[in-house]
Amino acid sequence: MTSPRVLVVDDEADLRELLEITLVRMGLDVDSAETLREARAFLAQNDYGLILTDMRLPDGLGLELVQEVNASNKSTPIAVVTAYGSAENAVVALKAGAFDYVSKPVVLDDLRVMVQSALRLSAPATQSGSPAAAGTASRLIGESAVMQSLRNQIERLARSMAPIAITGESGSGKELVAREIHARSSRAGKPFIAVNCGAIPEALMEAEFFGYRKGAFTGAADERDGFFHAANGGTLMLDEVADLPLAMQVKLLRAIQERRVRKIGATSEEPVDVRIISATHQNLAQCVETGKFRQDLFYRLNVIELSVPPLRERLDDLGVLVNGMLARLAGAGQQAALGPQVLETLSTYSFPGNVRELENVLERALAFANDGVIEVGDLSLKGARLAERPAPVAEAVAAPVQAAMAPQAAPAPMSASGPAELPSNLPDYLEQVEREIILRALTQTQFNRTQAALLLGISFRQLRYQMQKLNIQEPEG
């Protein structure tokens, strides 16, 4: 098997030589170019596993090469070399489609890590070390237009190291999207660490993110790694990032820019290799305007923005979502299914809690369902319109039962001498009346308990409770 080939584009002879030597020692074949013109000539003749270009070249900018490679529909990762402290240039390059960047003076360990990650990405899907998710089905199910677009975006973004800011309403599946990006990237075999920034006490944040040395503070009995160390080589997801206090935002910005962290109590920084994905249901741009969120950190995190659609914009996917959730909720050897008109009723609901709320609704309904079949009355949705019954059925059920209920449910008439005589055992009499009314409703609906509950004006759960209390059994056969 031939070694992967790398194209180095830089007009500084000393740096170009350093990069060549480092790459050759990694077992790679290397071509070198001093200008954009020479680089284009090499690209016309060869395929490369990685292109590494300086930002400033004698006859143009490295960004031009980034854009040309991406426009050519080649899957070649291209990384840029930026001047020290020029974080803005790095962000611009990532936005233009660069895979990653390294800063001058080049730290060789960082360069090797980046090169290995890029070569894993460019390797054929069948080759060992390629992304774990190559050829596998997406975890994001649904065939609506918005979901197809989302999956297409994820495929593209998974090939980059650029920080991604995922936006979307609570419960829409932001963490699932982040996991999908990780699973389809060259980092798939490394850790994925999700952190809820709003759930960490402010006093513990630095220790949780960066770790600490033994004896660094009272109670630090052992050395401990932080989130950055735990995610090293993989992906770190910062969920609800808008909840970070300003003091922590400063420290986080430095860690992201320098790719180094310092444990509490340590005297030196340690390199970390993580891809940052942030998520929030808040509007980060508005948080910046109000002074709640640092503009420089926003600029650093929001290199690429990815929006997750709410459930109400993808109701075409409701059926396949429900089927998948029921299969998961039912467990091995158990049944879980929807009764008549349940899906139609669900489709009339706005789901302010999105996919998470849908799963909670189904889990609750399944707990109330008989024999694993969820009926409309099991849903307990406020604001959903009950699916309309066909007119002939409604009339056939409602009219006879309401007529039968009226004379028995009415209070005894008053006479001139006082009230009419009441039964000697009133509780038994009322129970008998209630039993007869429920039986009439069940008979008229052929023991369809959902329709009987609607007819009687009570919930499905109330009807089931009354049937158990009155020992009303569904006839066999």
Side-chain angles (χ1 to χ4, degrees):
M1 181 184 297
T2 59
S3 299
R5 199 166 196 86
V6 179
L7 175 61
V8 174
V9 188
D10 200 299
D11 62 329
E12 295 182 37
D14 292 343
L15 178 57
R16 191 171 62 250
E17 183 179 3
L18 175 63
L19 295 176
E20 288 178 14
I21 292 172
T22 303
L23 295 171
V24 168
R25 286 179 176 174
M26 293 177 67
L28 305 173
D29 293 330
V30 182
D31 289 329
S32 296
E34 297 184 39
T35 64
L36 281 176
R37 180 170 161 274
E38 291 180 13
R40 288 169 180 145
F42 275 117
L43 288 171
Q45 298 172 7
N46 303 299
D47 292 326
Y48 292 95
L50 171 66
I51 302 168
L52 186 60
T53 179
D54 195 6
M55 284 286 283
R56 295 186 178 278
L57 297 165
D59 55 346
L61 297 175
L63 284 179
E64 296 178 46
L65 204 58
V66 172
Q67 293 165 345
E68 290 171 15
V69 169
N70 288 327
S72 68
N73 293 322
K74 291 185 177 180
S75 59
T76 309
I78 180 167
V80 298
V81 181
T82 66
Y84 175 77
S86 58
E88 292 81 3
N89 286 340
V91 171
V92 170
L94 292 172
K95 283 183 178 290
F99 165 75
D100 202 357
Y101 71 94
V102 290
S103 298
K104 296 179 182 179
V106 175
V107 178
L108 295 183
D109 286 343
D110 293 350
L111 174 67
R112 293 187 189 100
V113 169
M114 187 272 292
V115 170
Q116 290 168 353
S117 181
L119 294 180
R120 284 197 303 270
L121 184 64
S122 62
T126 57
Q127 183 175 320
S128 175
S130 60
T136 61
S138 172
R139 311 176 193 196
L140 302 170
I141 60 176
E143 294 304 319
S144 61
V146 291
M147 287 307 294
Q148 292 186 46
S149 174
L150 180 62
R151 286 196 296 268
N152 290 338
Q153 292 180 73
I154 286 172
E155 286 291 345
R156 293 196 300 271
L157 297 180
R159 301 187 59 80
S160 167
M161 268 289 293
I164 299 173
I166 302 176
T167 60
E169 298 176 5
S170 294
S172 57
K174 296 186 291 294
E175 182 174 335
L176 186 61
V177 169
R179 289 183 180 276
E180 183 75 0
I181 294 170
H182 172 76
R184 296 189 172 275
S185 73
S186 59
R187 297 172 171 261
K190 299 295 184 178
F192 175 92
I193 305 296
V195 180
N196 187 333
C197 299
I200 306 173
E202 184 171 353
L204 300 179
M205 275 196 170
E206 186 173 359
E208 291 291 334
F209 274 92
F210 307 135
Y212 52 82
R213 290 287 177 86
K214 180 179 179 179
F217 51 82
T218 303
D222 299 294
E223 183 169 347
R224 179 180 171 183
D225 288 340
F227 296 136
F228 274 85
H229 293 93
N232 196 27
T235 303
L236 178 61
M237 179 189 180
L238 305 176
D239 200 6
E240 299 303 342
V241 69
D243 292 335
L244 284 172
L246 288 171
M248 188 61 200
Q249 291 178 30
V250 177
K251 297 171 182 176
L252 181 62
L253 176 64
R254 175 174 173 78
I256 293 173
Q257 289 187 165
E258 302 301 323
R259 300 183 180 184
R260 281 172 168 69
V261 297
R262 178 179 301 177
K263 291 182 176 180
I264 297 177
T267 57
S268 60
E269 294 181 329
E270 303 173 51
V272 287
D273 171 33
V274 298
R275 184 184 192 178
I276 300 293
I277 298 179
S278 60
T280 180
H281 70 280
Q282 300 186 50
N283 187 319
L284 272 185
Q286 290 183 357
C287 292
V288 170
E289 292 178 3
T290 59
K292 181 183 174 183
F293 203 82
R294 291 182 60 96
Q295 186 175 32
D296 46 6
L297 181 57
F298 169 75
Y299 185 65
R300 202 66 187 79
L301 293 176
N302 202 52
V303 173
I304 300 174
E305 185 173 322
L306 185 62
S307 178
V308 181
L311 181 54
R312 62 181 176 274
E313 292 182 6
R314 48 177 300 219
L315 289 178
D316 290 348
D317 298 329
L318 197 58
V320 67
L321 283 171
V322 168
N323 289 338
M325 290 176 182
L326 289 181
R328 186 168 61 253
L329 292 171
Q334 296 182 343
Q335 178 190 8
L338 298 184
Q341 301 178 327
V342 175
L343 189 60
E344 291 89 336
T345 300
L346 286 171
S347 66
T348 69
Y349 185 57
S350 62
F351 286 104
N354 292 293
V355 179
R356 185 186 298 137
E357 183 181 8
L358 173 62
E359 185 164 11
N360 290 341
V361 166
L362 293 175
E363 186 173 12
R364 182 177 64 244
L366 196 58
F368 291 140
N370 285 326
D371 302 323
V373 180
I374 296 175
E375 304 288 354
V376 173
D378 296 322
L379 297 175
S380 302
L381 291 177
K382 295 182 180 180
R385 298 190 304 274
L386 295 176
E388 295 181 359
R389 293 165 290 172
V393 176
E395 293 171 4
V397 171
V401 176
Q402 289 170 351
M405 291 170 59
Q408 298 187 51
M414 296 288 290
S415 67
S417 59
E421 184 178 352
L422 295 174
S424 59
N425 191 331
L426 185 58
D428 288 347
Y429 173 75
L430 293 176
E431 188 174 284
Q432 179 184 348
V433 171
E434 182 180 13
R435 178 184 176 83
E436 184 174 350
I437 291 171
I438 292 175
L439 278 170
R440 285 174 181 263
L442 288 167
T443 301
Q444 292 295 328
T445 60
Q446 300 180 341
F447 269 77
N448 184 315
R449 288 170 296 176
T450 300
Q451 290 187 351
L454 292 172
L455 183 60
L456 294 169
I458 60 178
S459 70
F460 180 86
R461 188 179 179 188
Q462 288 173 312
L463 175 60
R464 187 171 62 182
Y465 171 77
Q466 293 301 110
M467 289 177 65
Q468 292 173 346
K469 186 183 77 169
L470 300 170
N471 196 27
I472 298 174
Q473 301 290 334
E474 185 172 350
E476 297 183 0

mmCIF file of all heavy atoms in Angstrom, residues 3 80 184 186 238 240 251 254 276 286 371 395 435 439:
data_model
loop_
_atom_site.group_PDB
_atom_site.id
_atom_site.type_symbol
_atom_site.label_atom_id
_atom_site.label_comp_id
_atom_site.label_asym_id
_atom_site.label_seq_id
_atom_site.Cartn_x
_atom_site.Cartn_y
_atom_site.Cartn_z
ATOM 1 N N SER A 3 2.075 5.116 0.612
ATOM 2 C CA SER A 3 1.873 6.044 1.730
ATOM 3 C C SER A 3 0.996 7.205 1.296
ATOM 4 O O SER A 3 1.034 7.625 0.134
ATOM 5 C CB SER A 3 3.233 6.573 2.197
ATOM 6 O OG SER A 3 4.049 5.516 2.636
ATOM 7 N N VAL A 80 -4.682 25.165 7.374
ATOM 8 C CA VAL A 80 -3.934 26.401 7.159
ATOM 9 C C VAL A 80 -2.987 26.658 8.320
ATOM 10 O O VAL A 80 -3.235 26.226 9.448
ATOM 11 C CB VAL A 80 -4.882 27.612 6.977
ATOM 12 C CG1 VAL A 80 -5.759 27.431 5.759
ATOM 13 C CG2 VAL A 80 -5.747 27.819 8.219
ATOM 14 N N ARG A 184 -19.711 10.597 12.831
ATOM 15 C CA ARG A 184 -19.385 10.597 11.408
ATOM 16 C C ARG A 184 -18.070 11.319 11.118
ATOM 17 O O ARG A 184 -17.736 11.549 9.959
ATOM 18 C CB ARG A 184 -20.542 11.216 10.615
ATOM 19 C CG ARG A 184 -21.784 10.383 10.735
ATOM 20 C CD ARG A 184 -22.916 10.766 9.831
ATOM 21 N NE ARG A 184 -23.952 9.746 9.938
ATOM 22 C CZ ARG A 184 -23.992 8.609 9.257
ATOM 23 N NH1 ARG A 184 -23.061 8.352 8.376
ATOM 24 N NH2 ARG A 184 -24.947 7.722 9.444
ATOM 25 N N SER A 186 -13.728 11.910 11.909
ATOM 26 C CA SER A 186 -12.528 11.091 12.094
ATOM 27 C C SER A 186 -12.246 10.842 13.567
ATOM 28 O O SER A 186 -11.344 10.073 13.908
ATOM 29 C CB SER A 186 -11.319 11.793 11.464
ATOM 30 O OG SER A 186 -11.114 13.060 12.061
ATOM 31 N N LEU A 238 -20.521 21.504 24.750
ATOM 32 C CA LEU A 238 -20.878 22.449 25.803
ATOM 33 C C LEU A 238 -22.355 22.788 25.651
ATOM 34 O O LEU A 238 -22.725 23.679 24.884
ATOM 35 C CB LEU A 238 -20.010 23.708 25.707
ATOM 36 C CG LEU A 238 -18.491 23.473 25.714
ATOM 37 C CD1 LEU A 238 -17.756 24.788 25.523
ATOM 38 C CD2 LEU A 238 -18.062 22.794 27.006
ATOM 39 N N GLU A 240 -26.027 24.218 26.716
ATOM 40 C CA GLU A 240 -26.484 25.420 27.423
ATOM 41 C C GLU A 240 -25.299 26.330 27.749
ATOM 42 O O GLU A 240 -25.122 26.797 28.875
ATOM 43 C CB GLU A 240 -27.260 25.048 28.690
ATOM 44 C CG GLU A 240 -28.508 24.231 28.430
ATOM 45 C CD GLU A 240 -29.494 24.920 27.474
ATOM 46 O OE1 GLU A 240 -29.396 26.136 27.270
ATOM 47 O OE2 GLU A 240 -30.353 24.221 26.911
ATOM 48 N N LYS A 251 -11.694 32.050 30.649
ATOM 49 C CA LYS A 251 -10.795 30.895 30.739
ATOM 50 C C LYS A 251 -11.088 29.887 29.630
ATOM 51 O O LYS A 251 -10.178 29.262 29.083
ATOM 52 C CB LYS A 251 -10.940 30.246 32.113
ATOM 53 C CG LYS A 251 -10.516 31.184 33.244
ATOM 54 C CD LYS A 251 -10.864 30.618 34.607
ATOM 55 C CE LYS A 251 -10.467 31.616 35.701
ATOM 56 N NZ LYS A 251 -10.867 31.163 37.039
ATOM 57 N N ARG A 254 -9.535 31.066 26.260
ATOM 58 C CA ARG A 254 -8.092 30.812 26.157
ATOM 59 C C ARG A 254 -7.818 29.332 25.874
ATOM 60 O O ARG A 254 -6.968 29.001 25.032
ATOM 61 C CB ARG A 254 -7.396 31.226 27.459
ATOM 62 C CG ARG A 254 -5.913 30.874 27.468
ATOM 63 C CD ARG A 254 -5.162 31.385 28.669
ATOM 64 N NE ARG A 254 -3.802 30.879 28.679
ATOM 65 C CZ ARG A 254 -2.810 31.347 27.935
ATOM 66 N NH1 ARG A 254 -3.034 32.353 27.117
ATOM 67 N NH2 ARG A 254 -1.600 30.822 28.002
ATOM 68 N N ILE A 276 -14.767 21.354 19.626
ATOM 69 C CA ILE A 276 -15.793 21.978 20.455
ATOM 70 C C ILE A 276 -17.103 22.085 19.672
ATOM 71 O O ILE A 276 -17.142 22.622 18.569
ATOM 72 C CB ILE A 276 -15.362 23.379 20.926
ATOM 73 C CG1 ILE A 276 -14.083 23.296 21.761
ATOM 74 C CG2 ILE A 276 -16.483 24.034 21.725
ATOM 75 C CD1 ILE A 276 -14.239 22.587 23.080
ATOM 76 N N GLN A 286 -28.108 37.843 20.986
ATOM 77 C CA GLN A 286 -28.788 38.745 21.921
ATOM 78 C C GLN A 286 -28.079 38.758 23.259
ATOM 79 O O GLN A 286 -27.995 39.806 23.919
ATOM 80 C CB GLN A 286 -30.242 38.332 22.085
ATOM 81 C CG GLN A 286 -31.107 38.582 20.858
ATOM 82 C CD GLN A 286 -32.557 38.219 21.081
ATOM 83 O OE1 GLN A 286 -32.950 37.726 22.145
ATOM 84 N NE2 GLN A 286 -33.390 38.433 20.064
ATOM 85 N N ASP A 371 -52.919 -3.745 27.551
ATOM 86 C CA ASP A 371 -52.296 -4.670 26.604
ATOM 87 C C ASP A 371 -51.337 -3.965 25.650
ATOM 88 O O ASP A 371 -51.128 -4.410 24.517
ATOM 89 C CB ASP A 371 -53.364 -5.414 25.799
ATOM 90 C CG ASP A 371 -54.315 -6.194 26.694
ATOM 91 O OD1 ASP A 371 -53.839 -6.737 27.703
ATOM 92 O OD2 ASP A 371 -55.522 -6.229 26.381
ATOM 93 N N GLU A 395 -73.392 9.540 16.115
ATOM 94 C CA GLU A 395 -74.826 9.628 16.351
ATOM 95 C C GLU A 395 -75.361 8.329 16.942
ATOM 96 O O GLU A 395 -76.183 8.325 17.856
ATOM 97 C CB GLU A 395 -75.534 9.938 15.034
ATOM 98 C CG GLU A 395 -75.209 11.335 14.510
ATOM 99 C CD GLU A 395 -75.741 11.537 13.103
ATOM 100 O OE1 GLU A 395 -76.411 10.609 12.587
ATOM 101 O OE2 GLU A 395 -75.493 12.606 12.531
ATOM 102 N N ARG A 435 -73.323 1.985 37.302
ATOM 103 C CA ARG A 435 -72.959 0.772 36.578
ATOM 104 C C ARG A 435 -73.777 0.626 35.301
ATOM 105 O O ARG A 435 -73.248 0.308 34.232
ATOM 106 C CB ARG A 435 -73.169 -0.429 37.496
ATOM 107 C CG ARG A 435 -72.859 -1.770 36.841
ATOM 108 C CD ARG A 435 -73.182 -2.895 37.808
ATOM 109 N NE ARG A 435 -72.972 -4.185 37.172
ATOM 110 C CZ ARG A 435 -71.815 -4.804 37.056
ATOM 111 N NH1 ARG A 435 -70.738 -4.239 37.571
ATOM 112 N NH2 ARG A 435 -71.715 -5.965 36.455
ATOM 113 N N LEU A 439 -72.392 0.643 31.464
ATOM 114 C CA LEU A 439 -72.654 -0.515 30.629
ATOM 115 C C LEU A 439 -73.370 -0.133 29.344
ATOM 116 O O LEU A 439 -73.091 -0.679 28.271
ATOM 117 C CB LEU A 439 -73.471 -1.552 31.403
ATOM 118 C CG LEU A 439 -72.663 -2.469 32.331
ATOM 119 C CD1 LEU A 439 -73.581 -3.291 33.213
ATOM 120 C CD2 LEU A 439 -71.741 -3.372 31.518
#
